[in-house]
Amino acid sequence: MTVVTRFAPSPTGYLHVGGARTALYSWLYTKNQGGEFVLRIEDTDIERSTQAAIDAILEGMQWLGLEWDKGPYYQTKRFDRYKELIEQLLAEGKAYKCFMPAEELDAIREAQKERGEKPRYPGTWRDRTDHPEGQPFVIRFRNPLEGTVVIKDHIRGTIEIQNEELDDLIIQRSDGTPTYNFCVVVDDWDMGVSHVVRGEDHINNTPRQINILEALGAPVPEYAHVSMILGDDGKKLSKRHGAVSVMQYRDDGYLPEAVLNYLVRLGWSHGDQEIFSKEEMIELFNLDAISPSASAFNTEKLIWLNQHYMKTMPAEEVAKHLVWHFEQLGVDTANGPSLESVIAIQADRVKTLKEMAEISQYFYKEYDSFDEKAAKKHLRPVAKDPLEAVAAKLASLEQWSAEAIHEAINKTAEELEVGMGKVGMPLRVAVTGSGNSPSLDVTLNLLNKEQIAQRIDKALKFIADRENS
Ligand code: GLU
């Protein structure tokens, strides 16, 4: 049997963290089994589905690297197929027309609720043949009255539901459109889905879907209902907790590798291992090790993973993402040090790529103004001599290397008989605009002599202006 899984988002919003994790689990299982991964857009809710949401979902999947083997399929393009099968079920007596007006059903349900019963359709039109001419109707599935539906869930174990608890589901609305549960069933069948991995919010649909599959003579897939993700306060994850859209994580400066690693551990484990490369996840993943309990979001851990990947991934890979952040800042990195060299000296100083781009702008463009506090503290008249002296030393260096730069700074301090900080701090503020940077020798080494001379000049002018004002 070929394993086929699917991710079936409804395009009513962005790809959120929960959806992405479901997609990842589905994808990992397929890859682990050498099967196929189907992407299906469940856009039958025409009012709420938007092209922008479809684009956002596809973008999120691509950013995470969850490439699909088949699709994207769109349910709105398959209405003829659904219709054909509804007709078939009608002809076989496995579905029937129900002419009950909505108000009547509402009244029945109200009465049931008042009696403390579960509201359900009482099967009024199940066996009636006195169909009124020209009246609107819905089509209902003739659910078995007896027996038990057994779900063997990979995460939750065996779940049994009595058929008498299920009423006759509407499969076609009065406007002729098929309903959600019916489309899912037909698609899962037509697309050869062998394993349904989805959120536990769908667990109530599963027995109904199994009954419809059986009525159609379709094989029943295996199921894995994944639990919810909670915020770090134990409440249902929502915008209050920060980013919930996957693309927001890109915008905030996370690497897709970190997000994937984070998501896989949010409900799945392999011993106490925390770090998983994509290859390892594929190799080790299995549905049965997914936890049935809800998982709580933990931003600190995501940051920790992001730092890990920024430091350990090949710098040229990290650079592909970092350049995007520079672009967002309007900083052109074509001229200046290689992004790899910036990553090498900044990776262990930041939490995110966004932060890395923000604090590394001085490598690619002149900073607009000095950081006020740093300038106030370090660009004072006493800094004039050290700055001039170090400028001269740096200008006369024959070889431009971190060692030579280090020497030049050292020598300047020695000759002026001052501590290193008296030279280093003004120089740092002059060159980077702020009091914070990696060590000066490696920082300066990524810039060229002219840039450094210019920036020291600028700092000297600042000091002069300050003296005169
Ligand atoms: N379209 C459903 C959703 O976005 C998923 C349905 C399914 O996986 O069966 O929640």
Side-chain angles (χ1 to χ4, degrees):
M1 183 188 72
T2 319
V3 165
V4 179
T5 65
R6 81 316 193 262
F7 179 51
S10 304
T12 55
Y14 42 72
L15 176 63
H16 55 85
V17 172
R21 186 190 55 166
T22 305
L24 173 64
Y25 286 179
S26 225
W27 183 87
L28 283 173
Y29 186 63
T30 306
K31 295 290 148 193
N32 173 278
Q33 297 285 309
E36 267 175 7
F37 181 57
V38 172
L39 178 60
R40 177 169 87 222
I41 306 293
E42 305 207 318
D43 55 351
T44 50
D45 186 344
I46 294 161
E47 305 264 287
R48 293 177 61 221
S49 300
T50 64
Q51 186 59 44
I54 295 174
D55 294 343
I57 290 167
L58 299 183
E59 189 186 25
M61 298 283 286
Q62 275 153 351
W63 184 72
L64 288 172
L66 302 179
E67 65 281 2
W68 48 94
D69 304 302
K70 292 240 172 93
Y73 296 112
Y74 294 85
Q75 290 188 322
T76 46
K77 298 206 173 122
R78 292 176 39 80
F79 275 7
D80 289 347
R81 173 66 176 152
Y82 307 138
K83 211 141 189 113
E84 176 193 332
L85 288 170
I86 289 173
E87 289 303 325
Q88 182 189 313
L89 290 179
L90 267 182
E92 293 171 353
K94 293 175 178 167
Y96 63 90
K97 292 180 182 172
C98 165
F99 293 86
M100 181 179 282
E103 309 79 61
E104 190 182 332
L105 183 56
D106 287 346
I108 291 175
R109 287 195 167 137
E110 271 316 306
Q112 287 167 332
K113 271 196 233 161
E114 271 169 32
R115 290 197 299 271
E117 295 168 12
K118 212 166 119 191
R120 66 203 312 267
Y121 172 71
T124 316
W125 286 88
R126 201 171 153 103
D127 297 310
R128 273 172 75 166
T129 48
D130 55 334
H131 291 179
E133 220 29 72
Q135 291 292 314
F137 61 85
V138 297
I139 298 178
R140 289 185 180 269
F141 173 67
R142 193 186 293 275
N143 198 76
L145 296 174
E146 291 163 1
T148 309
V149 188
V150 180
I151 311 170
K152 290 223 170 75
D153 190 276
H154 278 274
I155 303 170
R156 276 148 224 289
T158 305
I159 304 167
E160 293 189 8
I161 298 99
Q162 304 304 318
N163 269 321
E164 54 186 31
E165 285 175 34
L166 306 170
D167 59 2
D168 290 346
L169 188 75
I170 298 177
I171 56 176
Q172 182 178 301
R173 298 183 192 89
S174 55
D175 64 2
T177 56
T179 59
Y180 169 71
N181 273 298
F182 190 74
C183 301
V184 169
V185 161
V186 175
D187 288 349
D188 283 343
W189 180 26
D190 283 353
M191 294 165 195
V193 172
S194 65
H195 291 74
V196 171
V197 181
R198 63 182 169 199
E200 68 174 346
D201 47 329
H202 287 283
I203 208 154
N204 289 332
N205 291 328
T206 307
R208 300 172 179 286
Q209 293 183 4
I210 291 177
N211 281 337
I212 301 175
L213 283 162
E214 281 174 347
L216 288 168
V220 177
E222 293 181 35
Y223 292 91
H225 288 94
V226 182
S227 62
M228 290 212 301
I229 300 179
L230 305 175
D232 35 22
D233 56 0
K235 304 224 169 80
K236 189 168 189 276
L237 190 67
S238 75
K239 277 202 182 127
R240 277 182 305 120
H241 298 102
V244 278
S245 147
V246 165
M247 294 319 284
Q248 186 66 43
Y249 288 99
R250 174 199 59 183
D251 298 355
D252 290 349
Y254 294 94
L255 284 163
E257 286 75 7
V259 175
L260 280 181
N261 193 150
Y262 179 71
L263 288 177
V264 81
R265 283 286 293 107
L266 211 52
W268 174 83
S269 56
H270 178 76
D272 53 11
Q273 187 171 338
E274 288 293 353
I275 308 276
F276 295 89
S277 68
K278 221 172 183 176
E279 293 69 33
E280 257 180 314
M281 286 182 208
I282 292 173
E283 193 195 315
L284 299 170
F285 190 78
N286 69 35
L287 293 175
D288 300 300
I290 299 174
S291 161
S293 19
S295 333
F297 206 86
N298 178 346
T299 307
E300 287 304 312
K301 192 160 157 192
L302 175 58
I303 291 173
W304 176 75
L305 284 166
N306 202 45
Q307 288 176 313
H308 168 81
Y309 283 101
M310 284 192 300
K311 283 188 271 189
T312 57
M313 259 166 63
E316 64 266 27
E317 288 302 315
V318 180
K320 288 181 196 157
H321 299 282
L322 180 62
V323 70
W324 184 88
H325 288 280
F326 276 114
E327 281 162 18
Q328 301 314 299
L329 295 169
V331 175
D332 180 3
T333 54
N335 298 309
S338 71
L339 289 168
E340 286 84 340
S341 58
V342 171
I343 292 164
I345 65 171
Q346 298 282 42
D348 57 4
R349 302 175 54 82
V350 294
K351 292 178 174 167
T352 66
L353 293 175
K354 183 178 182 199
E355 204 183 329
M356 196 188 292
E358 274 163 4
I359 66 160
S360 304
Q361 295 182 65
Y362 58 78
F363 288 117
Y364 301 100
K365 64 166 219 198
E366 180 61 76
Y367 49 83
D368 302 324
S369 58
F370 297 109
D371 173 77
E372 218 174 293
K373 251 171 120 183
K376 201 168 166 211
K377 187 156 176 213
H378 302 293
L379 298 184
R380 289 184 294 154
V382 338
K384 189 171 165 256
D385 288 348
L387 275 178
E388 280 173 348
V390 81
K393 280 240 158 27
L394 290 169
S396 66
L397 283 183
E398 272 166 30
Q399 194 207 7
W400 194 244
S401 68
E403 295 76 43
I405 293 166
H406 185 79
E407 262 303 298
I409 300 170
N410 258 349
K411 273 258 167 59
T412 308
E414 254 173 56
E415 286 173 16
L416 294 177
E417 293 181 357
V418 295
M420 276 284 277
K422 292 272 182 291
V423 183
M425 281 316 292
L427 180 59
R428 170 169 280 123
V429 180
V431 173
T432 70
S434 91
N436 243 323
S437 81
S439 79
L440 273 174
D441 47 3
V442 294
T443 306
L444 267 59
N445 189 37
L446 294 189
L447 290 154
N448 61 43
K449 272 189 192 179
E450 292 71 38
Q451 288 169 311
I452 286 163
Q454 251 174 32
R455 292 183 190 187
I456 294 177
D457 266 352
K458 188 170 155 183
L460 286 166
K461 278 206 191 78
F462 179 91
I463 295 172
D465 287 351
R466 191 171 167 175
E467 258 181 318
N468 298 332
S469 67

